């Protein structure tokens, strides 16, 4: 399977039209149509309906493979390029909840900080767009995060922290010494995909429910806490990242907020010094 054709297919699906994909890729529309036709001929099945442009059942299945396959190809290219790479300014990709005062202090020598979710941060390292990633998310104690398979990267646990449920003042559960997540499954929640994604929380807790009350698309955990404190929905945050509202420890299921450092092979120099500072 030609990865160039696969990349074009992913772009057509993302843009929802052949013409928009052509504009994004810098091709003509007939060229994009020819590439999709070549991929369909190679696989022997139609991958897209034309009006409207949507993936067929086979196309949806191919999409499940496409992201990891294309990422692994970018990762392979970046891994080989690192063997002869010259020293450069350091870039770190990190989740907003991964940045405590201690981790920020350890970033001496870093030129660029990119805020990104765990999967995106790891993909940036794998593809050579970032030198280090601080990936974070909910996990069972001592369990690794569920990160994408990107090839030969090193992952080291940096810290784990207790999670608290943030409630508004006067909430009926505000006086509890601890809360169980299954008791809150029918409550409304702040849906903050860049801070504490509800889908990841459901997966880790093996729990349905957790209905969104308001959606917050920013990166600031303090905003998610303020929305919860104002009664727009509950939220779950590391204790150190919840500056307001009533904070009640989560006692079941046993879930912590975990931060992991992800990096490729590092030569001696600034990047290795940052790794030592973060893992000491």
């Amino acid at each position: 399977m030609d990865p160039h054709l696969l990349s074009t297919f992913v772009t057509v699906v993302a843009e929802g039209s052949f013409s928009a994909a052509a504009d994004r890729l810098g091709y003509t529309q007939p060229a994009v149509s020819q590439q999709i036709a070549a991929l369909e001929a190679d696989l022997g099945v139609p991958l897209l309906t034309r009006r409207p442009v949507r993936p067929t059942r086979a196309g949806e299945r191919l999409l499940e493979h496409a992201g990891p396959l294309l990422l692994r190809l970018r990762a392979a290219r970046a891994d080989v390029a690192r063997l002869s790479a010259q020293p450069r300014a350091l870039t770190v990709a990190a989740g907003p909840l991964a940045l405590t005062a201690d981790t920020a202090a350890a970033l001496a020598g870093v030129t660029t900080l990119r805020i990104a979710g765990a999967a995106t941060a790891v993909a940036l390292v794998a593809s050579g767009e970032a030198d280090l990633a601080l990936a974070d998310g909910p996990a069972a104690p001592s369990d690794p995060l569920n990160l994408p398979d990107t090839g030969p990267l090193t992952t080291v646990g940096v810290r784990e922290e207790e999670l608290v449920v943030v409630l508004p003042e006067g909430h009926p559960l505000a006086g509890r010494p601890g809360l169980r997540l299954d008791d809150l499954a029918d409550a409304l929640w702040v849906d903050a995909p860049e801070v504490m994604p509800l889908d990841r929380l459901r997966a880790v807790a093996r729990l349905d429910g957790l209905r969104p009350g308001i959606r917050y698309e920013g990166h600031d955990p303090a905003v998610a806490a303020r929305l919860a404190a104002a009664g727009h929905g509950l939220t779950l945050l590391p204790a150190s990242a919840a500056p307001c509202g009533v904070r009640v420890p989560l006692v079941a299921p046993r879930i912590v907020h975990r931060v992991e450092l992800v990096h490729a092979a590092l030569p001696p120099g600034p990047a290795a010094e940052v790794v030592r500072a973060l893992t000491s």
Side-chain angles (χ1 to χ4, degrees):
M1 186 188 308
D2 187 336
H4 180 71
L5 302 182
L6 184 60
S7 180
T8 299
F9 167 70
V10 171
T11 304
V12 172
V13 174
E15 295 294 332
S17 79
F18 284 75
S19 58
D23 290 341
R24 178 173 162 184
L25 295 170
Y27 300 144
T28 64
Q29 182 174 336
V32 170
S33 298
Q34 290 170 7
Q35 291 179 37
I36 297 301
L39 183 60
E40 290 178 325
D42 180 24
L43 295 176
V45 290
L47 299 172
L48 294 169
T49 60
R50 268 43 178 188
R51 294 182 181 178
V53 176
R54 292 177 181 167
T56 63
R57 184 177 178 186
E60 291 175 349
R61 183 61 59 85
L62 181 60
L63 277 176
E64 295 176 8
H65 296 281
L69 283 171
L70 293 173
L71 176 57
R72 285 302 298 266
L73 288 171
R74 294 196 304 272
R77 179 183 294 274
D79 201 34
V80 171
R82 288 187 190 101
L83 296 176
S84 58
Q86 298 299 312
R88 64 176 189 178
L90 292 183
T91 296
V92 171
L97 290 174
L99 294 172
T100 64
D102 289 341
T103 43
L107 300 183
V110 173
T111 302
T112 302
L113 176 66
R114 296 180 63 173
I115 300 300
T120 301
V122 173
L124 289 170
V125 172
S127 61
E129 298 174 70
D131 301 283
L132 310 169
L134 283 167
D136 71 290
S142 301
D143 274 5
L145 296 174
N146 184 17
L147 299 176
D149 177 14
T150 55
L153 296 180
T154 299
T155 302
V156 183
V158 173
R159 64 183 174 86
E160 292 183 352
E161 186 177 355
E162 175 188 57
L163 286 166
V164 296
V165 182
V166 183
L167 309 164
E169 296 282 350
H171 192 280
L173 301 176
R176 297 275 188 91
L179 289 171
R180 299 175 56 89
L181 199 56
D182 54 5
D183 291 337
L184 306 171
D186 293 329
L188 295 178
W189 288 76
V190 176
D191 184 13
E194 301 301 323
V195 179
M196 182 63 71
L198 288 183
D199 55 352
R200 191 187 310 169
L201 190 57
R202 292 186 193 102
V204 173
R206 300 179 183 178
L207 185 69
D208 295 325
L210 306 182
R211 296 177 297 148
I214 188 171
R215 184 176 175 88
Y216 169 54
E217 296 184 350
H219 294 90
D220 190 347
V223 173
R226 291 190 193 104
L227 290 170
H232 295 290
L234 310 182
T235 191
L236 194 65
L237 293 171
S240 63
C244 58
V246 179
R247 292 164 288 180
V248 182
L250 179 71
V251 295
R254 188 75 178 95
I255 299 174
V256 296
H257 179 254
R258 181 173 172 84
V259 179
E260 295 179 351
L261 174 65
V262 182
H263 62 87
L266 297 173
E273 292 297 326
V274 173
V275 169
R276 274 193 287 273
L278 286 168
T279 56
S280 62

